[in-house]
Amino acid sequence: MTDNNIDAAVTYGTYLKVDELLALQQARSEGPEHDELLFIVIHQVYELWFKELLHEFDQVMRLLKADDTPRAQHTLKRILTILKVLVTQLDILETMTPREFLTFRERLQAASGFQSDQFRQIEFVLGRKSEAAVARFRAGGRAHTALQRRYTESTLWDAFLHYLAREGYAVPADQLSRDVARPIAPSDAIQQILIDVYRHDAKNAELCERLVDLDEGIQEWRYRHVKMVERTIGAKPGTGGSAGAGYLRTTIGQNLFPDLWAIRTRL
Ligand code: HEM
């Protein structure tokens, strides 16, 4: 083996780019303040999980398109497991008291999770799209390009409806050709199909249950995030310029897949 080959040998550090990774936590406070590292690490870890979630959402939509139900189920299970970790991570940040946060909060200026394009991408995949969210990012940049692409692409719900149609259910044509940028609106025809699925089709009822888990999991994160915000900054406005917890409370309790919830009283 030549010296060159030894240099090029893959190690834990070179494969994972550990040196580069550990250089990415750059505090803005003087000192820096002790708790700022935790704040940065948590957010960076979230962004990595968001990246992985988007990767898995793309996979689950591909698998549904290929009618590969077992692997779609398997991928959804992975997504749900990651989501549980995302919710649990908030516990760590809740060990930071309001006064500890104040030691560096003003250094954040207008920076806020509100500006996380990957979070918006996840919302887009799940059918909550917004032109205003795309427009907040610089045209031509990574975030804008990714959001614009996802704005026009099918959502997970659309992939599911097309899959149901191929499974033999009479999904109305207007649902299959709906404008995928529009919000997912409740549909009597789809609810009738879902009731049929739950009564007679255990395989696809399981798939429906995983989508409900996903919907509930995202709502669980929103609820836990707003409680964390309330206990950390009370009723103060957010750094992103919103009313803070007051704004966040308006995002709670909105079902992503309304038909899956509507049928429950009729099952
Ligand atoms: C001390 C910790 C935190 C506080 C006080 C806080 C506060 C806030 C506030 C006030 C907002 C509303 C927008 C604004 O005006 O800024 C917001 C939005 C948001 N935050 Fe946090 N946050 C914290 C931690 C986190 C973490 C760890 C994440 C993980 C990525 C996160 C992700 C988000 C997202 C995605 C939004 C947008 C939600 C939406 O528009 O539906 N936040 N946060």
Side-chain angles (χ1 to χ4, degrees), residues 39 42-43 46-47 50 90 93 96 101 105 112-114 116 119-120 123 221-222 225 228-229 232-233 237-245 247-248 251:
F39 190 77
I42 289 266
H43 281 85
Y46 264 105
E47 288 297 330
F50 289 163
L90 291 173
L93 208 46
M96 180 178 71
F101 187 37
R105 188 186 188 216
S112 162
F114 190 75
S116 166
F119 182 79
R120 298 296 168 216
E123 287 191 313
W221 183 85
R222 287 190 195 278
H225 173 259
M228 181 191 67
V229 170
T232 310
I233 62 168
T239 46
S242 81
Y247 155 71
L248 292 167
T251 67

mmCIF file of all heavy atoms in Angstrom, residues 39 42-43 46-47 50 90 93 96 101 105 112-114 116 119-120 123 221-222 225 228-229 232-233 237-245 247-248 251, ligand 1:
data_model
loop_
_atom_site.group_PDB
_atom_site.id
_atom_site.type_symbol
_atom_site.label_atom_id
_atom_site.label_comp_id
_atom_site.label_asym_id
_atom_site.label_seq_id
_atom_site.Cartn_x
_atom_site.Cartn_y
_atom_site.Cartn_z
ATOM 1 N N PHE A 39 -28.387 25.321 22.793
ATOM 2 C CA PHE A 39 -29.385 25.892 21.889
ATOM 3 C C PHE A 39 -28.992 25.643 20.428
ATOM 4 O O PHE A 39 -29.816 25.241 19.597
ATOM 5 C CB PHE A 39 -29.496 27.394 22.182
ATOM 6 C CG PHE A 39 -30.643 28.071 21.493
ATOM 7 C CD1 PHE A 39 -31.945 27.936 21.966
ATOM 8 C CD2 PHE A 39 -30.422 28.863 20.371
ATOM 9 C CE1 PHE A 39 -33.005 28.571 21.338
ATOM 10 C CE2 PHE A 39 -31.476 29.503 19.741
ATOM 11 C CZ PHE A 39 -32.772 29.361 20.221
ATOM 12 N N ILE A 42 -29.048 21.686 19.608
ATOM 13 C CA ILE A 42 -30.420 21.168 19.445
ATOM 14 C C ILE A 42 -30.977 21.562 18.072
ATOM 15 O O ILE A 42 -31.539 20.740 17.354
ATOM 16 C CB ILE A 42 -31.360 21.738 20.544
ATOM 17 C CG1 ILE A 42 -31.025 21.134 21.893
ATOM 18 C CG2 ILE A 42 -32.828 21.544 20.180
ATOM 19 C CD1 ILE A 42 -31.844 19.924 22.270
ATOM 20 N N HIS A 43 -30.809 22.816 17.700
ATOM 21 C CA HIS A 43 -31.365 23.244 16.417
ATOM 22 C C HIS A 43 -30.669 22.558 15.246
ATOM 23 O O HIS A 43 -31.300 22.163 14.275
ATOM 24 C CB HIS A 43 -31.291 24.773 16.278
ATOM 25 C CG HIS A 43 -32.383 25.477 17.030
ATOM 26 N ND1 HIS A 43 -32.292 25.796 18.367
ATOM 27 C CD2 HIS A 43 -33.604 25.888 16.627
ATOM 28 C CE1 HIS A 43 -33.416 26.384 18.748
ATOM 29 N NE2 HIS A 43 -34.232 26.457 17.711
ATOM 30 N N TYR A 46 -31.970 19.103 14.982
ATOM 31 C CA TYR A 46 -33.287 19.138 14.340
ATOM 32 C C TYR A 46 -33.162 19.224 12.829
ATOM 33 O O TYR A 46 -33.842 18.528 12.082
ATOM 34 C CB TYR A 46 -34.114 20.334 14.835
ATOM 35 C CG TYR A 46 -35.054 19.974 15.969
ATOM 36 C CD1 TYR A 46 -34.774 20.353 17.262
ATOM 37 C CD2 TYR A 46 -36.219 19.259 15.739
ATOM 38 C CE1 TYR A 46 -35.615 20.014 18.312
ATOM 39 C CE2 TYR A 46 -37.075 18.919 16.766
ATOM 40 C CZ TYR A 46 -36.768 19.303 18.051
ATOM 41 O OH TYR A 46 -37.605 18.959 19.070
ATOM 42 N N GLU A 47 -32.296 20.115 12.363
ATOM 43 C CA GLU A 47 -32.173 20.279 10.910
ATOM 44 C C GLU A 47 -31.687 18.986 10.255
ATOM 45 O O GLU A 47 -32.108 18.650 9.150
ATOM 46 C CB GLU A 47 -31.245 21.455 10.565
ATOM 47 C CG GLU A 47 -31.850 22.830 10.845
ATOM 48 C CD GLU A 47 -33.111 23.142 10.009
ATOM 49 O OE1 GLU A 47 -33.235 22.648 8.879
ATOM 50 O OE2 GLU A 47 -33.981 23.876 10.520
ATOM 51 N N PHE A 50 -34.626 16.760 10.138
ATOM 52 C CA PHE A 50 -35.553 17.221 9.090
ATOM 53 C C PHE A 50 -35.068 16.716 7.729
ATOM 54 O O PHE A 50 -35.844 16.286 6.895
ATOM 55 C CB PHE A 50 -35.638 18.757 9.056
ATOM 56 C CG PHE A 50 -36.360 19.385 10.231
ATOM 57 C CD1 PHE A 50 -36.217 20.745 10.517
ATOM 58 C CD2 PHE A 50 -37.201 18.639 11.040
ATOM 59 C CE1 PHE A 50 -36.880 21.336 11.584
ATOM 60 C CE2 PHE A 50 -37.874 19.217 12.116
ATOM 61 C CZ PHE A 50 -37.709 20.576 12.387
ATOM 62 N N LEU A 90 -37.331 18.049 22.851
ATOM 63 C CA LEU A 90 -37.745 19.311 23.472
ATOM 64 C C LEU A 90 -37.523 19.272 24.988
ATOM 65 O O LEU A 90 -37.284 20.300 25.607
ATOM 66 C CB LEU A 90 -39.208 19.616 23.141
ATOM 67 C CG LEU A 90 -39.464 19.981 21.667
ATOM 68 C CD1 LEU A 90 -40.959 20.108 21.391
ATOM 69 C CD2 LEU A 90 -38.757 21.268 21.264
ATOM 70 N N LEU A 93 -34.253 20.873 25.839
ATOM 71 C CA LEU A 93 -34.231 22.343 25.801
ATOM 72 C C LEU A 93 -35.019 22.938 26.974
ATOM 73 O O LEU A 93 -34.738 24.043 27.426
ATOM 74 C CB LEU A 93 -34.795 22.815 24.454
ATOM 75 C CG LEU A 93 -34.286 24.164 23.941
ATOM 76 C CD1 LEU A 93 -32.781 24.293 24.065
ATOM 77 C CD2 LEU A 93 -34.715 24.394 22.514
ATOM 78 N N MET A 96 -33.443 24.413 30.038
ATOM 79 C CA MET A 96 -32.900 25.786 30.003
ATOM 80 C C MET A 96 -33.972 26.728 30.566
ATOM 81 O O MET A 96 -35.091 26.782 30.048
ATOM 82 C CB MET A 96 -32.569 26.165 28.547
ATOM 83 C CG MET A 96 -32.000 27.558 28.394
ATOM 84 S SD MET A 96 -31.580 27.908 26.662
ATOM 85 C CE MET A 96 -33.211 28.042 25.946
ATOM 86 N N PHE A 101 -31.981 31.491 29.036
ATOM 87 C CA PHE A 101 -32.200 31.851 27.626
ATOM 88 C C PHE A 101 -31.901 33.335 27.402
ATOM 89 O O PHE A 101 -31.313 33.735 26.391
ATOM 90 C CB PHE A 101 -33.647 31.518 27.232
ATOM 91 C CG PHE A 101 -33.951 31.695 25.769
ATOM 92 C CD1 PHE A 101 -33.013 31.370 24.785
ATOM 93 C CD2 PHE A 101 -35.192 32.176 25.348
ATOM 94 C CE1 PHE A 101 -33.302 31.518 23.422
ATOM 95 C CE2 PHE A 101 -35.494 32.330 23.992
ATOM 96 C CZ PHE A 101 -34.547 32.006 23.043
ATOM 97 N N ARG A 105 -30.398 35.544 24.269
ATOM 98 C CA ARG A 105 -31.516 35.644 23.313
ATOM 99 C C ARG A 105 -31.373 36.835 22.366
ATOM 100 O O ARG A 105 -31.642 36.725 21.178
ATOM 101 C CB ARG A 105 -32.848 35.747 24.065
ATOM 102 C CG ARG A 105 -34.014 35.641 23.094
ATOM 103 C CD ARG A 105 -35.365 35.867 23.717
ATOM 104 N NE ARG A 105 -36.406 35.565 22.742
ATOM 105 C CZ ARG A 105 -37.537 36.204 22.639
ATOM 106 N NH1 ARG A 105 -37.845 37.166 23.481
ATOM 107 N NH2 ARG A 105 -38.407 35.878 21.703
ATOM 108 N N SER A 112 -35.110 32.715 13.829
ATOM 109 C CA SER A 112 -36.173 31.944 14.483
ATOM 110 C C SER A 112 -36.415 30.660 13.704
ATOM 111 O O SER A 112 -36.204 30.620 12.488
ATOM 112 C CB SER A 112 -37.470 32.771 14.485
ATOM 113 O OG SER A 112 -38.596 31.945 14.722
ATOM 114 N N GLY A 113 -36.895 29.625 14.416
ATOM 115 C CA GLY A 113 -37.282 28.371 13.768
ATOM 116 C C GLY A 113 -38.320 28.604 12.684
ATOM 117 O O GLY A 113 -38.476 27.800 11.765
ATOM 118 N N PHE A 114 -39.013 29.733 12.785
ATOM 119 C CA PHE A 114 -39.986 30.144 11.772
ATOM 120 C C PHE A 114 -39.335 30.165 10.389
ATOM 121 O O PHE A 114 -39.993 29.970 9.374
ATOM 122 C CB PHE A 114 -40.475 31.547 12.154
ATOM 123 C CG PHE A 114 -41.641 32.027 11.350
ATOM 124 C CD1 PHE A 114 -42.913 31.533 11.587
ATOM 125 C CD2 PHE A 114 -41.470 32.978 10.351
ATOM 126 C CE1 PHE A 114 -43.995 31.980 10.848
ATOM 127 C CE2 PHE A 114 -42.548 33.433 9.606
ATOM 128 C CZ PHE A 114 -43.813 32.923 9.855
ATOM 129 N N SER A 116 -37.056 28.076 9.295
ATOM 130 C CA SER A 116 -36.505 26.778 8.888
ATOM 131 C C SER A 116 -37.182 26.318 7.587
ATOM 132 O O SER A 116 -38.352 25.944 7.584
ATOM 133 C CB SER A 116 -36.740 25.730 9.979
ATOM 134 O OG SER A 116 -36.493 24.436 9.458
ATOM 135 N N PHE A 119 -38.391 22.658 7.727
ATOM 136 C CA PHE A 119 -39.673 22.462 8.410
ATOM 137 C C PHE A 119 -40.813 22.777 7.439
ATOM 138 O O PHE A 119 -41.795 22.043 7.347
ATOM 139 C CB PHE A 119 -39.751 23.347 9.659
ATOM 140 C CG PHE A 119 -41.024 23.167 10.443
ATOM 141 C CD1 PHE A 119 -41.186 22.083 11.294
ATOM 142 C CD2 PHE A 119 -42.076 24.062 10.308
ATOM 143 C CE1 PHE A 119 -42.373 21.899 12.006
ATOM 144 C CE2 PHE A 119 -43.266 23.887 11.011
ATOM 145 C CZ PHE A 119 -43.409 22.805 11.866
ATOM 146 N N ARG A 120 -40.669 23.876 6.680
ATOM 147 C CA ARG A 120 -41.709 24.227 5.685
ATOM 148 C C ARG A 120 -41.794 23.148 4.615
ATOM 149 O O ARG A 120 -42.871 22.809 4.147
ATOM 150 C CB ARG A 120 -41.408 25.579 5.021
ATOM 151 C CG ARG A 120 -41.389 26.749 5.974
ATOM 152 C CD ARG A 120 -42.735 27.026 6.630
ATOM 153 N NE ARG A 120 -42.566 27.967 7.742
ATOM 154 C CZ ARG A 120 -43.258 27.917 8.865
ATOM 155 N NH1 ARG A 120 -44.193 27.011 9.045
ATOM 156 N NH2 ARG A 120 -43.029 28.801 9.817
ATOM 157 N N GLU A 123 -43.887 20.485 5.950
ATOM 158 C CA GLU A 123 -45.303 20.892 5.890
ATOM 159 C C GLU A 123 -45.839 20.765 4.468
ATOM 160 O O GLU A 123 -46.969 20.320 4.261
ATOM 161 C CB GLU A 123 -45.451 22.348 6.363
ATOM 162 C CG GLU A 123 -45.272 22.532 7.859
ATOM 163 C CD GLU A 123 -45.696 23.922 8.315
ATOM 164 O OE1 GLU A 123 -45.293 24.911 7.654
ATOM 165 O OE2 GLU A 123 -46.409 24.038 9.317
ATOM 166 N N TRP A 221 -45.723 17.507 18.340
ATOM 167 C CA TRP A 221 -44.538 18.369 18.342
ATOM 168 C C TRP A 221 -44.963 19.830 18.482
ATOM 169 O O TRP A 221 -44.384 20.582 19.266
ATOM 170 C CB TRP A 221 -43.696 18.182 17.061
ATOM 171 C CG TRP A 221 -42.457 19.034 17.149
ATOM 172 C CD1 TRP A 221 -41.283 18.690 17.759
ATOM 173 C CD2 TRP A 221 -42.308 20.387 16.707
ATOM 174 N NE1 TRP A 221 -40.400 19.752 17.702
ATOM 175 C CE2 TRP A 221 -40.999 20.798 17.066
ATOM 176 C CE3 TRP A 221 -43.135 21.293 16.048
ATOM 177 C CZ2 TRP A 221 -40.513 22.077 16.779
ATOM 178 C CZ3 TRP A 221 -42.644 22.567 15.765
ATOM 179 C CH2 TRP A 221 -41.349 22.949 16.127
ATOM 180 N N ARG A 222 -45.986 20.224 17.738
ATOM 181 C CA ARG A 222 -46.429 21.628 17.790
ATOM 182 C C ARG A 222 -46.874 21.997 19.212
ATOM 183 O O ARG A 222 -46.553 23.061 19.715
ATOM 184 C CB ARG A 222 -47.603 21.862 16.823
ATOM 185 C CG ARG A 222 -47.215 21.869 15.359
ATOM 186 C CD ARG A 222 -48.405 22.362 14.533
ATOM 187 N NE ARG A 222 -48.278 22.103 13.124
ATOM 188 C CZ ARG A 222 -47.587 22.873 12.271
ATOM 189 N NH1 ARG A 222 -46.967 23.960 12.691
ATOM 190 N NH2 ARG A 222 -47.533 22.570 10.994
ATOM 191 N N HIS A 225 -43.868 22.177 21.510
ATOM 192 C CA HIS A 225 -43.058 23.360 21.192
ATOM 193 C C HIS A 225 -43.712 24.610 21.788
ATOM 194 O O HIS A 225 -43.039 25.422 22.412
ATOM 195 C CB HIS A 225 -42.888 23.465 19.668
ATOM 196 C CG HIS A 225 -42.215 24.730 19.200
ATOM 197 N ND1 HIS A 225 -42.907 25.792 18.684
ATOM 198 C CD2 HIS A 225 -40.911 25.105 19.163
ATOM 199 C CE1 HIS A 225 -42.061 26.757 18.354
ATOM 200 N NE2 HIS A 225 -40.841 26.366 18.633
ATOM 201 N N MET A 228 -43.215 24.728 25.484
ATOM 202 C CA MET A 228 -41.827 25.093 25.787
ATOM 203 C C MET A 228 -41.633 26.608 25.595
ATOM 204 O O MET A 228 -40.988 27.272 26.399
ATOM 205 C CB MET A 228 -40.878 24.326 24.865
ATOM 206 C CG MET A 228 -39.424 24.641 25.125
ATOM 207 S SD MET A 228 -38.384 23.978 23.824
ATOM 208 C CE MET A 228 -38.910 24.977 22.459
ATOM 209 N N VAL A 229 -42.241 27.137 24.527
ATOM 210 C CA VAL A 229 -42.126 28.578 24.268
ATOM 211 C C VAL A 229 -42.779 29.351 25.416
ATOM 212 O O VAL A 229 -42.209 30.307 25.949
ATOM 213 C CB VAL A 229 -42.761 28.931 22.894
ATOM 214 C CG1 VAL A 229 -42.871 30.433 22.715
ATOM 215 C CG2 VAL A 229 -41.953 28.296 21.758
ATOM 216 N N THR A 232 -40.643 29.358 28.446
ATOM 217 C CA THR A 232 -39.338 30.000 28.294
ATOM 218 C C THR A 232 -39.445 31.511 28.083
ATOM 219 O O THR A 232 -38.660 32.278 28.636
ATOM 220 C CB THR A 232 -38.552 29.353 27.117
ATOM 221 O OG1 THR A 232 -38.575 27.937 27.280
ATOM 222 C CG2 THR A 232 -37.108 29.819 27.092
ATOM 223 N N ILE A 233 -40.432 31.953 27.264
ATOM 224 C CA ILE A 233 -40.524 33.407 27.016
ATOM 225 C C ILE A 233 -41.897 33.985 27.366
ATOM 226 O O ILE A 233 -42.158 35.170 27.099
ATOM 227 C CB ILE A 233 -40.165 33.778 25.551
ATOM 228 C CG1 ILE A 233 -41.134 33.129 24.554
ATOM 229 C CG2 ILE A 233 -38.713 33.426 25.236
ATOM 230 C CD1 ILE A 233 -41.009 33.689 23.124
ATOM 231 N N PRO A 237 -43.134 38.577 22.313
ATOM 232 C CA PRO A 237 -43.119 38.263 20.884
ATOM 233 C C PRO A 237 -41.917 37.389 20.537
ATOM 234 O O PRO A 237 -40.923 37.358 21.272
ATOM 235 C CB PRO A 237 -42.992 39.629 20.206
ATOM 236 C CG PRO A 237 -42.961 40.655 21.267
ATOM 237 C CD PRO A 237 -42.910 39.993 22.601
ATOM 238 N N GLY A 238 -42.014 36.672 19.410
ATOM 239 C CA GLY A 238 -40.910 35.818 18.992
ATOM 240 C C GLY A 238 -39.808 36.613 18.319
ATOM 241 O O GLY A 238 -40.051 37.726 17.839
ATOM 242 N N THR A 239 -38.609 36.018 18.246
ATOM 243 C CA THR A 239 -37.519 36.698 17.543
ATOM 244 C C THR A 239 -37.838 36.803 16.054
ATOM 245 O O THR A 239 -37.347 37.685 15.360
ATOM 246 C CB THR A 239 -36.187 35.927 17.726
ATOM 247 O OG1 THR A 239 -36.418 34.537 17.508
ATOM 248 C CG2 THR A 239 -35.593 36.135 19.099
ATOM 249 N N GLY A 240 -38.694 35.888 15.555
ATOM 250 C CA GLY A 240 -39.058 35.903 14.134
ATOM 251 C C GLY A 240 -40.092 36.969 13.797
ATOM 252 O O GLY A 240 -40.480 37.107 12.644
ATOM 253 N N GLY A 241 -40.556 37.709 14.817
ATOM 254 C CA GLY A 241 -41.453 38.830 14.551
ATOM 255 C C GLY A 241 -42.924 38.517 14.743
ATOM 256 O O GLY A 241 -43.775 39.384 14.547
ATOM 257 N N SER A 242 -43.246 37.278 15.149
ATOM 258 C CA SER A 242 -44.654 36.961 15.370
ATOM 259 C C SER A 242 -45.041 37.306 16.808
ATOM 260 O O SER A 242 -44.192 37.712 17.605
ATOM 261 C CB SER A 242 -44.915 35.465 15.135
ATOM 262 O OG SER A 242 -44.544 34.723 16.284
ATOM 263 N N ALA A 243 -46.345 37.077 17.127
ATOM 264 C CA ALA A 243 -46.813 37.334 18.495
ATOM 265 C C ALA A 243 -46.253 36.307 19.481
ATOM 266 O O ALA A 243 -46.519 36.378 20.667
ATOM 267 C CB ALA A 243 -48.331 37.312 18.511
ATOM 268 N N GLY A 244 -45.482 35.338 18.976
ATOM 269 C CA GLY A 244 -44.896 34.325 19.864
ATOM 270 C C GLY A 244 -45.864 33.194 20.115
ATOM 271 O O GLY A 244 -46.477 32.661 19.184
ATOM 272 N N ALA A 245 -46.038 32.838 21.423
ATOM 273 C CA ALA A 245 -46.893 31.689 21.748
ATOM 274 C C ALA A 245 -48.311 31.887 21.204
ATOM 275 O O ALA A 245 -48.961 30.926 20.787
ATOM 276 C CB ALA A 245 -46.912 31.478 23.258
ATOM 277 N N TYR A 247 -49.239 33.270 18.422
ATOM 278 C CA TYR A 247 -49.247 32.815 17.021
ATOM 279 C C TYR A 247 -49.187 31.290 16.963
ATOM 280 O O TYR A 247 -49.949 30.642 16.229
ATOM 281 C CB TYR A 247 -48.065 33.428 16.245
ATOM 282 C CG TYR A 247 -47.649 32.583 15.058
ATOM 283 C CD1 TYR A 247 -48.458 32.482 13.927
ATOM 284 C CD2 TYR A 247 -46.456 31.845 15.084
ATOM 285 C CE1 TYR A 247 -48.097 31.666 12.853
ATOM 286 C CE2 TYR A 247 -46.088 31.028 14.018
ATOM 287 C CZ TYR A 247 -46.913 30.944 12.908
ATOM 288 O OH TYR A 247 -46.562 30.136 11.863
ATOM 289 N N LEU A 248 -48.269 30.720 17.734
ATOM 290 C CA LEU A 248 -48.067 29.262 17.655
ATOM 291 C C LEU A 248 -49.332 28.497 18.049
ATOM 292 O O LEU A 248 -49.622 27.439 17.489
ATOM 293 C CB LEU A 248 -46.880 28.848 18.535
ATOM 294 C CG LEU A 248 -45.520 29.355 18.023
ATOM 295 C CD1 LEU A 248 -44.447 29.174 19.095
ATOM 296 C CD2 LEU A 248 -45.109 28.638 16.735
ATOM 297 N N THR A 251 -51.627 27.427 15.346
ATOM 298 C CA THR A 251 -51.227 26.324 14.448
ATOM 299 C C THR A 251 -51.550 24.952 15.059
ATOM 300 O O THR A 251 -51.343 23.930 14.413
ATOM 301 C CB THR A 251 -49.713 26.376 14.148
ATOM 302 O OG1 THR A 251 -48.981 26.096 15.352
ATOM 303 C CG2 THR A 251 -49.272 27.729 13.610
HETATM 304 C C1 HEM B 1 -36.015 28.217 23.740
HETATM 305 C C2 HEM B 1 -36.363 27.584 22.666
HETATM 306 C C3 HEM B 1 -37.342 28.108 21.639
HETATM 307 C C4 HEM B 1 -38.117 29.212 21.678
HETATM 308 C C5 HEM B 1 -38.264 30.251 22.782
HETATM 309 C C6 HEM B 1 -38.848 29.253 20.429
HETATM 310 C C7 HEM B 1 -39.732 30.224 20.077
HETATM 311 C C8 HEM B 1 -40.463 30.272 18.899
HETATM 312 C C9 HEM B 1 -41.392 31.299 18.550
HETATM 313 C C10 HEM B 1 -41.773 32.471 19.434
HETATM 314 C C11 HEM B 1 -41.871 31.023 17.315
HETATM 315 C C12 HEM B 1 -42.873 31.852 16.495
HETATM 316 C C13 HEM B 1 -42.171 32.586 15.395
HETATM 317 C C14 HEM B 1 -41.369 33.764 15.900
HETATM 318 O O1 HEM B 1 -41.898 34.862 16.013
HETATM 319 O O2 HEM B 1 -40.167 33.586 16.183
HETATM 320 C C15 HEM B 1 -41.240 29.798 16.884
HETATM 321 C C16 HEM B 1 -41.484 29.161 15.700
HETATM 322 C C17 HEM B 1 -40.896 28.001 15.316
HETATM 323 N N1 HEM B 1 -39.922 27.305 16.000
HETATM 324 FE FE1 HEM B 1 -39.273 27.671 17.846
HETATM 325 N N2 HEM B 1 -38.522 28.150 19.686
HETATM 326 C C18 HEM B 1 -37.590 27.432 20.382
HETATM 327 C C19 HEM B 1 -36.992 26.260 19.977
HETATM 328 C C20 HEM B 1 -37.210 25.639 18.772
HETATM 329 C C21 HEM B 1 -36.556 24.436 18.327
HETATM 330 C C22 HEM B 1 -35.536 23.608 19.108
HETATM 331 C C23 HEM B 1 -37.013 24.178 17.087
HETATM 332 C C24 HEM B 1 -36.568 23.039 16.246
HETATM 333 C C25 HEM B 1 -36.273 23.186 14.984
HETATM 334 C C26 HEM B 1 -37.959 25.195 16.736
HETATM 335 C C27 HEM B 1 -38.642 25.274 15.553
HETATM 336 C C28 HEM B 1 -39.590 26.219 15.262
HETATM 337 C C29 HEM B 1 -40.381 26.195 14.045
HETATM 338 C C30 HEM B 1 -40.320 25.147 12.943
HETATM 339 C C31 HEM B 1 -41.210 27.301 14.078
HETATM 340 C C32 HEM B 1 -42.271 27.687 13.056
HETATM 341 C C33 HEM B 1 -43.609 27.094 13.479
HETATM 342 C C34 HEM B 1 -44.775 27.495 12.595
HETATM 343 O O3 HEM B 1 -44.736 28.559 11.959
HETATM 344 O O4 HEM B 1 -45.758 26.717 12.546
HETATM 345 N N3 HEM B 1 -38.065 26.060 17.791
HETATM 346 N N4 HEM B 1 -40.392 29.360 17.875
#
